[in-house]
Amino acid sequence: MGRVWNYITEKLNKEGALHFSLIDPDPLKMGVESCVKIARFAESAGTDAIMIGGSTAFGIIDEAVKAITDAVEIPTILFPGNISGVSRYADAMFFMSLLNSTNPYWIIHAQALAAANVKLSEIEPISMAYLLVAPGKTAAWVGDAKVFPRDKPKLALAYAMAAELIGFKLVYLEAGSGAEGGGVPPEFISVVSQLTNIPLITGGGFNDRESVVNAVKAGASIVVQGTYLEKHILEDKGKGLRNIIEGLKAVGAEKI
Ligand code: 1GP
């Protein structure tokens, strides 16, 4: 078993729920120094891993990935938006397939183009089914996704069950970075977590303690926050994030 996958599963068994912090190393948004600061504050606030990536990865991400990985003790996991999102400096990568894309490029072709590079880099791959729920935001536009309407959780369930049967280690319910409406609807999280046996990650629009706590109550194993960090963490040095993570861990502990 890979080192990071082992860390995730053991920590989930012990703590019931995990918090991951997403950093998008887009030079049009922020420099490497800010990425490192965000990662450090997130780690000190108790986040369990740093995800690095975005739908529009401009430029070479190696510099940011190396700097972040050197700066924190917790695992760094790539969250690639395309083949340009691979870097050997991370501890692991989500090897993901956007299952509800209408374009085979995002389901298997990009993965095939990146596979040799991933194997040569010896980075730990963690297979993940990526499912986009409305609004889907930039990820849906870039990924040619047929997003699941917010009142149709059973559509996501069908895809999540197929993902489990195919052998994906994780399923990610994504509303898109910056999604309005408080994240993925709890009904999606609840039906998918109850009727599948792989850990469920969710992200996209979880911007406060209440929505994060509700996601865990509904059955999420891991909640991802990105935009919240970009907006608040440099000013409050992780204070607000600490409060959110305490809430997440309290609900997680009830599930053990
Ligand atoms: C995006 O799910 C992540 O891929 C995080 O979304 O930026 O809205 O937190 P936010």
Side-chain angles (χ1 to χ4, degrees), residues 48-93:
D48 297 295
I50 306 287
M51 286 164 55
I52 306 170
S55 304
T56 46
F58 295 115
I60 310 285
I61 63 164
D62 274 344
E63 192 194 346
V65 175
K66 186 171 187 317
I68 296 169
T69 304
D70 286 348
V72 296
E73 298 287 323
I74 52 176
T76 52
I77 307 171
L78 299 174
F79 181 55
N82 206 332
I83 55 174
S84 53
V86 182
S87 166
R88 67 194 169 93
Y89 296 112
D91 296 310
M93 94 183 269

mmCIF file of all heavy atoms in Angstrom, residues 48-93:
data_model
loop_
_atom_site.group_PDB
_atom_site.id
_atom_site.type_symbol
_atom_site.label_atom_id
_atom_site.label_comp_id
_atom_site.label_asym_id
_atom_site.label_seq_id
_atom_site.Cartn_x
_atom_site.Cartn_y
_atom_site.Cartn_z
ATOM 1 N N ASP A 48 -5.306 18.081 7.022
ATOM 2 C CA ASP A 48 -4.664 16.770 6.985
ATOM 3 C C ASP A 48 -3.779 16.550 5.763
ATOM 4 O O ASP A 48 -2.913 15.668 5.787
ATOM 5 C CB ASP A 48 -5.735 15.681 7.038
ATOM 6 C CG ASP A 48 -6.505 15.731 8.345
ATOM 7 O OD1 ASP A 48 -5.890 15.485 9.394
ATOM 8 O OD2 ASP A 48 -7.706 16.064 8.329
ATOM 9 N N ALA A 49 -4.005 17.302 4.693
ATOM 10 C CA ALA A 49 -3.162 17.179 3.493
ATOM 11 C C ALA A 49 -3.354 18.418 2.644
ATOM 12 O O ALA A 49 -4.357 19.121 2.757
ATOM 13 C CB ALA A 49 -3.546 15.933 2.685
ATOM 14 N N ILE A 50 -2.343 18.672 1.802
ATOM 15 C CA ILE A 50 -2.421 19.796 0.867
ATOM 16 C C ILE A 50 -2.609 19.219 -0.534
ATOM 17 O O ILE A 50 -1.797 18.409 -0.984
ATOM 18 C CB ILE A 50 -1.120 20.639 0.874
ATOM 19 C CG1 ILE A 50 -0.746 21.112 2.290
ATOM 20 C CG2 ILE A 50 -1.237 21.813 -0.103
ATOM 21 C CD1 ILE A 50 -1.589 22.189 2.875
ATOM 22 N N MET A 51 -3.680 19.622 -1.181
ATOM 23 C CA MET A 51 -3.876 19.271 -2.590
ATOM 24 C C MET A 51 -3.377 20.433 -3.435
ATOM 25 O O MET A 51 -3.583 21.599 -3.075
ATOM 26 C CB MET A 51 -5.363 19.031 -2.880
ATOM 27 C CG MET A 51 -5.884 17.713 -2.325
ATOM 28 S SD MET A 51 -7.692 17.642 -2.242
ATOM 29 C CE MET A 51 -8.168 18.016 -3.914
ATOM 30 N N ILE A 52 -2.722 20.114 -4.568
ATOM 31 C CA ILE A 52 -2.170 21.173 -5.417
ATOM 32 C C ILE A 52 -2.657 20.967 -6.846
ATOM 33 O O ILE A 52 -2.429 19.919 -7.443
ATOM 34 C CB ILE A 52 -0.628 21.156 -5.399
ATOM 35 C CG1 ILE A 52 -0.099 21.217 -3.957
ATOM 36 C CG2 ILE A 52 -0.076 22.325 -6.206
ATOM 37 C CD1 ILE A 52 1.390 20.955 -3.825
ATOM 38 N N GLY A 53 -3.358 21.978 -7.374
ATOM 39 C CA GLY A 53 -3.818 21.881 -8.755
ATOM 40 C C GLY A 53 -4.953 22.827 -9.036
ATOM 41 O O GLY A 53 -5.372 23.590 -8.174
ATOM 42 N N GLY A 54 -5.429 22.768 -10.289
ATOM 43 C CA GLY A 54 -6.527 23.624 -10.708
ATOM 44 C C GLY A 54 -6.890 23.322 -12.147
ATOM 45 O O GLY A 54 -6.135 22.632 -12.840
ATOM 46 N N SER A 55 -8.022 23.838 -12.590
ATOM 47 C CA SER A 55 -8.491 23.544 -13.948
ATOM 48 C C SER A 55 -7.687 24.269 -15.005
ATOM 49 O O SER A 55 -7.584 23.821 -16.140
ATOM 50 C CB SER A 55 -9.949 23.964 -14.100
ATOM 51 O OG SER A 55 -10.738 23.348 -13.133
ATOM 52 N N THR A 56 -7.139 25.417 -14.635
ATOM 53 C CA THR A 56 -6.386 26.194 -15.611
ATOM 54 C C THR A 56 -4.958 26.363 -15.092
ATOM 55 O O THR A 56 -4.614 27.404 -14.552
ATOM 56 C CB THR A 56 -7.034 27.576 -15.808
ATOM 57 O OG1 THR A 56 -7.339 28.120 -14.521
ATOM 58 C CG2 THR A 56 -8.294 27.488 -16.634
ATOM 59 N N ALA A 57 -4.173 25.283 -15.178
ATOM 60 C CA ALA A 57 -2.800 25.329 -14.650
ATOM 61 C C ALA A 57 -1.897 25.999 -15.671
ATOM 62 O O ALA A 57 -1.435 25.385 -16.630
ATOM 63 C CB ALA A 57 -2.310 23.915 -14.353
ATOM 64 N N PHE A 58 -1.642 27.276 -15.477
ATOM 65 C CA PHE A 58 -0.761 27.992 -16.388
ATOM 66 C C PHE A 58 0.681 27.816 -15.914
ATOM 67 O O PHE A 58 0.974 27.985 -14.737
ATOM 68 C CB PHE A 58 -1.099 29.483 -16.412
ATOM 69 C CG PHE A 58 -2.462 29.774 -16.966
ATOM 70 C CD1 PHE A 58 -3.456 30.317 -16.165
ATOM 71 C CD2 PHE A 58 -2.767 29.480 -18.285
ATOM 72 C CE1 PHE A 58 -4.719 30.582 -16.676
ATOM 73 C CE2 PHE A 58 -4.027 29.741 -18.803
ATOM 74 C CZ PHE A 58 -5.008 30.293 -18.001
ATOM 75 N N GLY A 59 1.551 27.505 -16.853
ATOM 76 C CA GLY A 59 2.972 27.454 -16.508
ATOM 77 C C GLY A 59 3.363 26.141 -15.858
ATOM 78 O O GLY A 59 2.564 25.226 -15.700
ATOM 79 N N ILE A 60 4.618 26.085 -15.465
ATOM 80 C CA ILE A 60 5.178 24.871 -14.880
ATOM 81 C C ILE A 60 4.902 24.908 -13.386
ATOM 82 O O ILE A 60 5.185 25.909 -12.726
ATOM 83 C CB ILE A 60 6.709 24.832 -15.105
ATOM 84 C CG1 ILE A 60 7.067 25.104 -16.573
ATOM 85 C CG2 ILE A 60 7.301 23.521 -14.622
ATOM 86 C CD1 ILE A 60 6.814 23.999 -17.544
ATOM 87 N N ILE A 61 4.352 23.824 -12.868
ATOM 88 C CA ILE A 61 3.976 23.871 -11.455
ATOM 89 C C ILE A 61 5.080 23.336 -10.542
ATOM 90 O O ILE A 61 4.968 23.422 -9.329
ATOM 91 C CB ILE A 61 2.648 23.123 -11.193
ATOM 92 C CG1 ILE A 61 2.763 21.633 -11.505
ATOM 93 C CG2 ILE A 61 1.515 23.750 -11.978
ATOM 94 C CD1 ILE A 61 1.635 20.833 -10.896
ATOM 95 N N ASP A 62 6.176 22.796 -11.128
ATOM 96 C CA ASP A 62 7.234 22.181 -10.317
ATOM 97 C C ASP A 62 7.721 23.073 -9.167
ATOM 98 O O ASP A 62 7.885 22.617 -8.042
ATOM 99 C CB ASP A 62 8.447 21.832 -11.191
ATOM 100 C CG ASP A 62 8.299 20.462 -11.834
ATOM 101 O OD1 ASP A 62 7.447 19.684 -11.372
ATOM 102 O OD2 ASP A 62 9.032 20.186 -12.792
ATOM 103 N N GLU A 63 7.950 24.345 -9.476
ATOM 104 C CA GLU A 63 8.527 25.235 -8.476
ATOM 105 C C GLU A 63 7.597 25.352 -7.258
ATOM 106 O O GLU A 63 8.042 25.234 -6.109
ATOM 107 C CB GLU A 63 8.756 26.621 -9.101
ATOM 108 C CG GLU A 63 9.593 27.524 -8.243
ATOM 109 C CD GLU A 63 9.533 28.989 -8.699
ATOM 110 O OE1 GLU A 63 9.065 29.257 -9.826
ATOM 111 O OE2 GLU A 63 9.950 29.843 -7.899
ATOM 112 N N ALA A 64 6.308 25.540 -7.534
ATOM 113 C CA ALA A 64 5.348 25.682 -6.430
ATOM 114 C C ALA A 64 5.201 24.367 -5.667
ATOM 115 O O ALA A 64 5.183 24.352 -4.429
ATOM 116 C CB ALA A 64 3.994 26.127 -6.979
ATOM 117 N N VAL A 65 5.135 23.259 -6.400
ATOM 118 C CA VAL A 65 4.938 21.963 -5.733
ATOM 119 C C VAL A 65 6.135 21.639 -4.840
ATOM 120 O O VAL A 65 5.981 21.212 -3.690
ATOM 121 C CB VAL A 65 4.719 20.832 -6.783
ATOM 122 C CG1 VAL A 65 4.638 19.474 -6.099
ATOM 123 C CG2 VAL A 65 3.453 21.088 -7.587
ATOM 124 N N LYS A 66 7.332 21.897 -5.336
ATOM 125 C CA LYS A 66 8.540 21.609 -4.552
ATOM 126 C C LYS A 66 8.590 22.489 -3.296
ATOM 127 O O LYS A 66 8.850 22.012 -2.191
ATOM 128 C CB LYS A 66 9.797 21.824 -5.408
ATOM 129 C CG LYS A 66 11.055 21.412 -4.689
ATOM 130 C CD LYS A 66 12.252 21.423 -5.602
ATOM 131 C CE LYS A 66 13.488 20.848 -4.953
ATOM 132 N NZ LYS A 66 13.744 21.243 -3.588
ATOM 133 N N ALA A 67 8.295 23.764 -3.488
ATOM 134 C CA ALA A 67 8.357 24.695 -2.356
ATOM 135 C C ALA A 67 7.326 24.313 -1.287
ATOM 136 O O ALA A 67 7.625 24.341 -0.085
ATOM 137 C CB ALA A 67 8.115 26.119 -2.851
ATOM 138 N N ILE A 68 6.132 23.939 -1.712
ATOM 139 C CA ILE A 68 5.086 23.567 -0.732
ATOM 140 C C ILE A 68 5.477 22.259 -0.027
ATOM 141 O O ILE A 68 5.380 22.146 1.198
ATOM 142 C CB ILE A 68 3.703 23.429 -1.422
ATOM 143 C CG1 ILE A 68 3.247 24.774 -1.985
ATOM 144 C CG2 ILE A 68 2.668 22.879 -0.435
ATOM 145 C CD1 ILE A 68 2.036 24.702 -2.909
ATOM 146 N N THR A 69 5.913 21.273 -0.810
ATOM 147 C CA THR A 69 6.273 19.975 -0.223
ATOM 148 C C THR A 69 7.424 20.130 0.778
ATOM 149 O O THR A 69 7.426 19.489 1.841
ATOM 150 C CB THR A 69 6.632 18.948 -1.326
ATOM 151 O OG1 THR A 69 5.532 18.858 -2.228
ATOM 152 C CG2 THR A 69 6.909 17.570 -0.754
ATOM 153 N N ASP A 70 8.382 20.999 0.464
ATOM 154 C CA ASP A 70 9.501 21.234 1.387
ATOM 155 C C ASP A 70 9.048 21.956 2.655
ATOM 156 O O ASP A 70 9.661 21.826 3.715
ATOM 157 C CB ASP A 70 10.587 22.093 0.708
ATOM 158 C CG ASP A 70 11.365 21.293 -0.322
ATOM 159 O OD1 ASP A 70 11.225 20.057 -0.345
ATOM 160 O OD2 ASP A 70 12.097 21.916 -1.123
ATOM 161 N N ALA A 71 7.949 22.724 2.534
ATOM 162 C CA ALA A 71 7.549 23.597 3.657
ATOM 163 C C ALA A 71 6.660 22.905 4.694
ATOM 164 O O ALA A 71 6.519 23.397 5.811
ATOM 165 C CB ALA A 71 6.830 24.832 3.116
ATOM 166 N N VAL A 72 6.029 21.809 4.324
ATOM 167 C CA VAL A 72 5.086 21.169 5.266
ATOM 168 C C VAL A 72 5.457 19.708 5.536
ATOM 169 O O VAL A 72 6.144 19.074 4.731
ATOM 170 C CB VAL A 72 3.620 21.243 4.741
ATOM 171 C CG1 VAL A 72 3.141 22.681 4.636
ATOM 172 C CG2 VAL A 72 3.462 20.513 3.411
ATOM 173 N N GLU A 73 4.962 19.212 6.671
ATOM 174 C CA GLU A 73 5.184 17.801 7.030
ATOM 175 C C GLU A 73 4.071 16.914 6.481
ATOM 176 O O GLU A 73 4.283 15.737 6.189
ATOM 177 C CB GLU A 73 5.181 17.654 8.566
ATOM 178 C CG GLU A 73 6.276 18.433 9.279
ATOM 179 C CD GLU A 73 7.632 17.794 9.070
ATOM 180 O OE1 GLU A 73 7.698 16.558 9.050
ATOM 181 O OE2 GLU A 73 8.604 18.549 8.889
ATOM 182 N N ILE A 74 2.856 17.470 6.390
ATOM 183 C CA ILE A 74 1.717 16.681 5.923
ATOM 184 C C ILE A 74 1.874 16.372 4.428
ATOM 185 O O ILE A 74 2.615 17.079 3.733
ATOM 186 C CB ILE A 74 0.369 17.419 6.181
ATOM 187 C CG1 ILE A 74 0.416 18.838 5.612
ATOM 188 C CG2 ILE A 74 0.014 17.407 7.647
ATOM 189 C CD1 ILE A 74 -0.903 19.592 5.734
ATOM 190 N N PRO A 75 1.173 15.320 3.925
ATOM 191 C CA PRO A 75 1.349 14.964 2.517
ATOM 192 C C PRO A 75 0.872 16.050 1.560
ATOM 193 O O PRO A 75 -0.100 16.760 1.843
ATOM 194 C CB PRO A 75 0.470 13.716 2.352
ATOM 195 C CG PRO A 75 0.204 13.202 3.706
ATOM 196 C CD PRO A 75 0.285 14.373 4.633
ATOM 197 N N THR A 76 1.578 16.155 0.416
ATOM 198 C CA THR A 76 1.100 16.985 -0.694
ATOM 199 C C THR A 76 0.614 16.039 -1.792
ATOM 200 O O THR A 76 1.277 15.051 -2.120
ATOM 201 C CB THR A 76 2.214 17.898 -1.243
ATOM 202 O OG1 THR A 76 3.374 17.119 -1.540
ATOM 203 C CG2 THR A 76 2.579 18.973 -0.229
ATOM 204 N N ILE A 77 -0.571 16.346 -2.305
ATOM 205 C CA ILE A 77 -1.201 15.467 -3.295
ATOM 206 C C ILE A 77 -1.593 16.302 -4.508
ATOM 207 O O ILE A 77 -2.331 17.290 -4.375
ATOM 208 C CB ILE A 77 -2.475 14.797 -2.711
ATOM 209 C CG1 ILE A 77 -2.166 14.100 -1.380
ATOM 210 C CG2 ILE A 77 -3.077 13.814 -3.714
ATOM 211 C CD1 ILE A 77 -3.404 13.611 -0.636
ATOM 212 N N LEU A 78 -1.118 15.908 -5.693
ATOM 213 C CA LEU A 78 -1.488 16.641 -6.904
ATOM 214 C C LEU A 78 -2.958 16.406 -7.223
ATOM 215 O O LEU A 78 -3.489 15.304 -7.037
ATOM 216 C CB LEU A 78 -0.639 16.178 -8.092
ATOM 217 C CG LEU A 78 0.867 16.376 -7.967
ATOM 218 C CD1 LEU A 78 1.564 15.724 -9.170
ATOM 219 C CD2 LEU A 78 1.222 17.857 -7.881
ATOM 220 N N PHE A 79 -3.578 17.465 -7.724
ATOM 221 C CA PHE A 79 -4.990 17.429 -8.115
ATOM 222 C C PHE A 79 -5.016 18.008 -9.530
ATOM 223 O O PHE A 79 -5.401 19.152 -9.746
ATOM 224 C CB PHE A 79 -5.752 18.303 -7.113
ATOM 225 C CG PHE A 79 -7.231 18.392 -7.292
ATOM 226 C CD1 PHE A 79 -8.031 17.274 -7.335
ATOM 227 C CD2 PHE A 79 -7.847 19.642 -7.364
ATOM 228 C CE1 PHE A 79 -9.407 17.379 -7.464
ATOM 229 C CE2 PHE A 79 -9.214 19.764 -7.489
ATOM 230 C CZ PHE A 79 -10.001 18.625 -7.538
ATOM 231 N N PRO A 80 -4.530 17.209 -10.512
ATOM 232 C CA PRO A 80 -4.237 17.788 -11.827
ATOM 233 C C PRO A 80 -5.484 18.108 -12.638
ATOM 234 O O PRO A 80 -6.426 17.318 -12.695
ATOM 235 C CB PRO A 80 -3.418 16.690 -12.515
ATOM 236 C CG PRO A 80 -3.762 15.430 -11.813
ATOM 237 C CD PRO A 80 -4.235 15.771 -10.448
ATOM 238 N N GLY A 81 -5.438 19.267 -13.288
ATOM 239 C CA GLY A 81 -6.535 19.658 -14.165
ATOM 240 C C GLY A 81 -6.278 19.220 -15.601
ATOM 241 O O GLY A 81 -7.153 19.314 -16.455
ATOM 242 N N ASN A 82 -5.048 18.730 -15.836
ATOM 243 C CA ASN A 82 -4.698 18.286 -17.188
ATOM 244 C C ASN A 82 -3.323 17.617 -17.085
ATOM 245 O O ASN A 82 -2.760 17.526 -15.986
ATOM 246 C CB ASN A 82 -4.655 19.482 -18.154
ATOM 247 C CG ASN A 82 -4.936 19.068 -19.599
ATOM 248 O OD1 ASN A 82 -4.671 17.938 -20.020
ATOM 249 N ND2 ASN A 82 -5.488 19.987 -20.361
ATOM 250 N N ILE A 83 -2.746 17.212 -18.235
ATOM 251 C CA ILE A 83 -1.449 16.536 -18.160
ATOM 252 C C ILE A 83 -0.350 17.466 -17.647
ATOM 253 O O ILE A 83 0.679 17.016 -17.165
ATOM 254 C CB ILE A 83 -1.033 15.911 -19.517
ATOM 255 C CG1 ILE A 83 -1.052 16.963 -20.629
ATOM 256 C CG2 ILE A 83 -1.961 14.774 -19.898
ATOM 257 C CD1 ILE A 83 -0.512 16.433 -21.945
ATOM 258 N N SER A 84 -0.579 18.762 -17.733
ATOM 259 C CA SER A 84 0.409 19.733 -17.236
ATOM 260 C C SER A 84 0.459 19.775 -15.710
ATOM 261 O O SER A 84 1.326 20.418 -15.133
ATOM 262 C CB SER A 84 0.080 21.126 -17.773
ATOM 263 O OG SER A 84 -1.264 21.437 -17.467
ATOM 264 N N GLY A 85 -0.465 19.085 -15.055
ATOM 265 C CA GLY A 85 -0.528 19.146 -13.587
ATOM 266 C C GLY A 85 0.307 18.094 -12.883
ATOM 267 O O GLY A 85 0.154 17.874 -11.684
ATOM 268 N N VAL A 86 1.204 17.407 -13.635
ATOM 269 C CA VAL A 86 2.027 16.363 -13.019
ATOM 270 C C VAL A 86 3.376 16.958 -12.576
ATOM 271 O O VAL A 86 4.003 17.697 -13.324
ATOM 272 C CB VAL A 86 2.290 15.202 -14.022
ATOM 273 C CG1 VAL A 86 3.110 14.099 -13.359
ATOM 274 C CG2 VAL A 86 0.976 14.651 -14.561
ATOM 275 N N SER A 87 3.772 16.637 -11.347
ATOM 276 C CA SER A 87 5.092 17.060 -10.868
ATOM 277 C C SER A 87 5.640 15.983 -9.943
ATOM 278 O O SER A 87 4.920 15.480 -9.078
ATOM 279 C CB SER A 87 4.982 18.376 -10.094
ATOM 280 O OG SER A 87 6.183 18.599 -9.387
ATOM 281 N N ARG A 88 6.929 15.664 -10.111
ATOM 282 C CA ARG A 88 7.498 14.591 -9.288
ATOM 283 C C ARG A 88 7.775 15.046 -7.863
ATOM 284 O O ARG A 88 8.197 14.259 -7.026
ATOM 285 C CB ARG A 88 8.771 14.042 -9.953
ATOM 286 C CG ARG A 88 9.922 15.005 -9.992
ATOM 287 C CD ARG A 88 10.983 14.505 -10.949
ATOM 288 N NE ARG A 88 11.971 15.524 -11.200
ATOM 289 C CZ ARG A 88 13.111 15.650 -10.504
ATOM 290 N NH1 ARG A 88 13.388 14.805 -9.555
ATOM 291 N NH2 ARG A 88 13.944 16.616 -10.778
ATOM 292 N N TYR A 89 7.574 16.321 -7.582
ATOM 293 C CA TYR A 89 7.916 16.829 -6.252
ATOM 294 C C TYR A 89 6.815 16.640 -5.210
ATOM 295 O O TYR A 89 7.017 16.921 -4.035
ATOM 296 C CB TYR A 89 8.302 18.310 -6.335
ATOM 297 C CG TYR A 89 9.551 18.526 -7.145
ATOM 298 C CD1 TYR A 89 9.513 19.168 -8.375
ATOM 299 C CD2 TYR A 89 10.780 18.052 -6.684
ATOM 300 C CE1 TYR A 89 10.668 19.350 -9.128
ATOM 301 C CE2 TYR A 89 11.936 18.228 -7.431
ATOM 302 C CZ TYR A 89 11.872 18.877 -8.645
ATOM 303 O OH TYR A 89 13.016 19.047 -9.387
ATOM 304 N N ALA A 90 5.637 16.186 -5.630
ATOM 305 C CA ALA A 90 4.567 15.954 -4.647
ATOM 306 C C ALA A 90 4.724 14.565 -4.048
ATOM 307 O O ALA A 90 5.429 13.709 -4.589
ATOM 308 C CB ALA A 90 3.210 16.098 -5.312
ATOM 309 N N ASP A 91 4.057 14.326 -2.916
ATOM 310 C CA ASP A 91 4.125 13.001 -2.292
ATOM 311 C C ASP A 91 3.239 11.994 -3.028
ATOM 312 O O ASP A 91 3.507 10.802 -3.024
ATOM 313 C CB ASP A 91 3.674 13.096 -0.827
ATOM 314 C CG ASP A 91 4.612 13.967 -0.013
ATOM 315 O OD1 ASP A 91 5.831 13.743 -0.094
ATOM 316 O OD2 ASP A 91 4.130 14.884 0.682
ATOM 317 N N ALA A 92 2.140 12.473 -3.595
ATOM 318 C CA ALA A 92 1.203 11.565 -4.276
ATOM 319 C C ALA A 92 0.411 12.372 -5.294
ATOM 320 O O ALA A 92 0.547 13.598 -5.372
ATOM 321 C CB ALA A 92 0.255 10.932 -3.258
ATOM 322 N N MET A 93 -0.392 11.661 -6.069
ATOM 323 C CA MET A 93 -1.292 12.395 -6.965
ATOM 324 C C MET A 93 -2.622 11.675 -7.055
ATOM 325 O O MET A 93 -2.677 10.446 -6.995
ATOM 326 C CB MET A 93 -0.677 12.551 -8.352
ATOM 327 C CG MET A 93 -1.049 11.506 -9.359
ATOM 328 S SD MET A 93 -0.186 11.761 -10.924
ATOM 329 C CE MET A 93 -1.343 12.777 -11.783
#
